[in-house]
Amino acid sequence: IVNSLNYLRIYGYNYGDGTYLGSSGDDCSWQLTNISENACTSWGNPMSELYYESLRYFAGQSATSGYTFTNSGSKDNLLGLPLASWVDPLNTSNYCAPLNVVMFNASVSSNDEDLANTSMSGIGSDGTAKSLTDAVGSGEGLNGRNFFVGKSGSSNNELCDAKTLSGLGSAAGICPEGPTLQGSWLMAGLAHHARTQRIRSNIAIPDDDAKSLKVSTYGVQLATNVPRIRIALEGETSPRVVLQPAYRLFNSSPQGGGQLVDMKIVYQTATATVAEGMAYLNWEDSEQGGDYDQDVWGLIAWRLDRNANTLTVTTRTVAESTNQPQGFGYIVSGTTQDGPHFHSGIEGFNYTDPDAISVSPSTKVNASGGCSNCQLSDAATTATYTLGATTAELLKDPLWYAAKWGGFT
């Protein structure tokens, strides 16, 4: 294990020009909004698939062929990574040993929603990953409530706006970190099944043994990718409003969510009646690959006024090193018009705001308050919202649900 961790490297980085394009043959092009198998291989974080593979190991299965590699000419082999042979870890002598999976995640889950319709027969279930996860969502009381999520069933615009959750197994696109990255909550359903049902039936154990061949799951979330600006008045422990940075690249379908390279709080103050501040935001236009640097940066400022019962949010783009229309915006929660809003952008960005917000000046916005041919040189624009109860929530991290439903006593 230590040897494998020691050999892990970024693959395909060109030290000559600072990009992930180069001559590596990794197909990691500019402004990439989607990846295919075996391309742009330093990106993608399919945590549910990784977790499922660990359960298959306990179940006595063989390694999934799509996740293995040959020792001749593969990218893994070029890095020196070893390829372990799977050996069944359980038998009639040690079947009562406690089975545990500890999942560490240093990023946002992505690219694992395609596991949804996979049969879970390999770990002793008649269901699919989706059906097992739908059961967890129902038990958690999530169905019928509105959540900020990239996809929920047929509602799949990959924006962090409010979507009604019909089933946790069909939700994907974790907000605010990765609404466009196809990350799912499927590990939760797998974890609950593995905790409550025997992982395999080919080892005979006493009928009254309720503990053996069941897996406990633990989650360790090391970091998240996109910060949340929690706006509260002096002395308040809970925010009245939450702002989440948002970005959109409009070049081809699917539209891109970029990568937040840097964020700094310029200032923030709070009194008993007013809370205000400003943040600097720097976005990379490629979801993966590119050169991971500054493609567009700008400022977002806010002012919450308790007496006026309003929130004003001001955005302005300052510099760009890119092309194609791109939106510089945010997602708001805690007003009567929650959701994603873009009234600043570059390179002719256009956006129709579903909530028809009030923005001033109105020279570079359309009737909905969204961008109309927004350019870098545009003046700052300010949107005004009425404070109100939150109409949508954020789902917790997949590891949280997996640990809760797969790690209980």
Side-chain angles (χ1 to χ4, degrees):
I1 293 173
V2 172
N3 189 44
S4 294
L5 292 174
N6 190 47
Y7 273 109
L8 287 175
R9 297 287 188 276
I10 293 292
Y11 180 85
Y13 179 71
N14 188 316
Y15 288 89
D17 61 14
T19 74
Y20 295 87
L21 310 176
S23 58
S24 65
D26 209 25
D27 297 323
C28 215
S29 58
W30 296 114
Q31 297 184 338
L32 196 60
T33 59
N34 202 6
I35 53 177
S36 56
E37 294 293 339
N38 202 37
C40 214
T41 44
S42 289
W43 275 262
N45 189 34
M47 294 300 293
S48 292
E49 292 179 346
L50 291 168
Y51 174 71
Y52 174 48
E53 198 72 347
S54 72
L55 296 182
R56 295 183 68 257
Y57 171 72
F58 281 139
Q61 303 293 326
S62 58
T64 300
S65 60
Y67 304 156
T68 63
F69 58 92
T70 65
N71 281 320
S72 176
S74 67
K75 298 173 183 178
D76 305 78
N77 187 49
L78 289 172
L79 296 180
L81 285 163
L83 179 62
S85 299
W86 279 28
V87 178
D88 192 343
L90 299 173
N91 52 50
T92 55
S93 299
N94 68 353
Y95 69 84
C96 59
L99 306 179
N100 300 281
V101 176
V102 183
M103 293 285 288
F104 290 86
N105 189 7
S107 184
V108 58
S109 295
S110 68
N111 304 99
D112 59 10
E113 67 170 337
D114 54 341
L115 186 66
N117 294 320
T118 300
S119 169
M120 293 292 109
S121 58
I123 58 171
S125 171
D126 294 331
T128 62
K130 177 183 181 301
S131 64
L132 295 178
T133 307
D134 281 342
V136 168
S138 177
E140 188 71 20
L142 303 179
N143 292 347
R145 291 159 58 186
N146 289 333
F147 292 93
F148 292 122
V149 64
K151 296 180 181 180
S152 180
S154 59
S155 182
N156 57 5
N157 63 3
E158 295 190 311
L159 278 169
C160 283
D161 56 4
K163 297 179 176 68
T164 301
L165 195 70
S166 57
L168 187 60
S170 59
I174 297 169
C175 288
E177 299 98 319
T180 63
L181 299 182
Q182 298 98 48
S184 75
W185 286 262
L186 295 171
M187 68 170 68
L190 276 60
H192 182 245
H193 170 79
R195 185 73 192 103
T196 57
Q197 308 296 322
R198 293 172 182 166
I199 197 72
R200 59 199 295 175
S201 59
N202 62 345
I203 297 178
I205 67 174
D207 292 337
D208 61 352
D209 185 342
K211 294 184 177 180
S212 297
L213 300 181
K214 295 178 180 178
V215 182
S216 294
T217 300
Y218 302 88
V220 181
Q221 175 68 321
L222 300 176
T224 53
N225 283 355
V226 178
R228 303 172 68 200
I229 302 170
R230 298 161 61 88
I231 305 173
L233 297 174
E234 185 179 25
E236 293 181 332
T237 56
S238 298
R240 292 180 178 240
V241 170
V242 174
L243 285 178
Q244 304 162 42
Y247 166 91
R248 209 65 170 169
L249 167 68
F250 278 11
N251 59 354
S252 61
S253 182
Q255 306 304 337
Q259 298 179 79
L260 186 59
V261 175
D262 194 12
M263 174 179 173
K264 292 181 174 67
I265 298 296
V266 179
Y267 71 88
Q268 56 181 341
T269 61
T271 68
T273 57
V274 173
E276 58 185 348
M278 176 183 288
Y280 152 90
L281 298 165
N282 174 9
W283 290 93
E284 154 75 37
D285 60 13
S286 303
E287 281 184 6
Q288 45 269 317
D291 51 11
Y292 200 73
D293 66 356
Q294 175 255 302
D295 286 319
V296 57
W297 73 266
L299 301 170
I300 178 170
W302 60 90
R303 177 182 173 87
L304 185 152
D305 189 322
R306 186 182 69 178
N307 293 335
N309 198 40
T310 60
L311 171 76
T312 58
V313 181
T314 301
T315 56
R316 179 171 68 94
T317 54
V318 177
E320 64 168 285
S321 303
T322 182
N323 57 24
Q324 304 297 329
Q326 296 166 45
F328 181 88
Y330 55 91
I331 301 157
V332 64
S333 176
T335 74
T336 59
Q337 294 174 301
D338 288 351
H341 304 290
F342 295 91
H343 44 89
S344 291
I346 61 173
E347 299 287 341
F349 181 77
N350 295 299
Y351 180 73
T352 300
D353 196 299
D355 287 323
I357 61 174
S358 174
V359 176
S360 64
S362 59
T363 52
K364 294 306 295 285
V365 296
N366 53 38
S368 75
C371 262
S372 176
N373 191 33
C374 282
Q375 303 288 346
L376 176 68
S377 58
D378 294 342
T381 52
T382 301
T384 302
Y385 304 95
T386 300
L387 298 179
T390 300
T391 58
E393 309 164 72
L394 280 172
L395 286 168
K396 295 184 182 297
D397 189 89
L399 291 182
W400 190 91
Y401 294 109
K404 176 179 180 179
W405 288 83
F408 59 89
T409 300

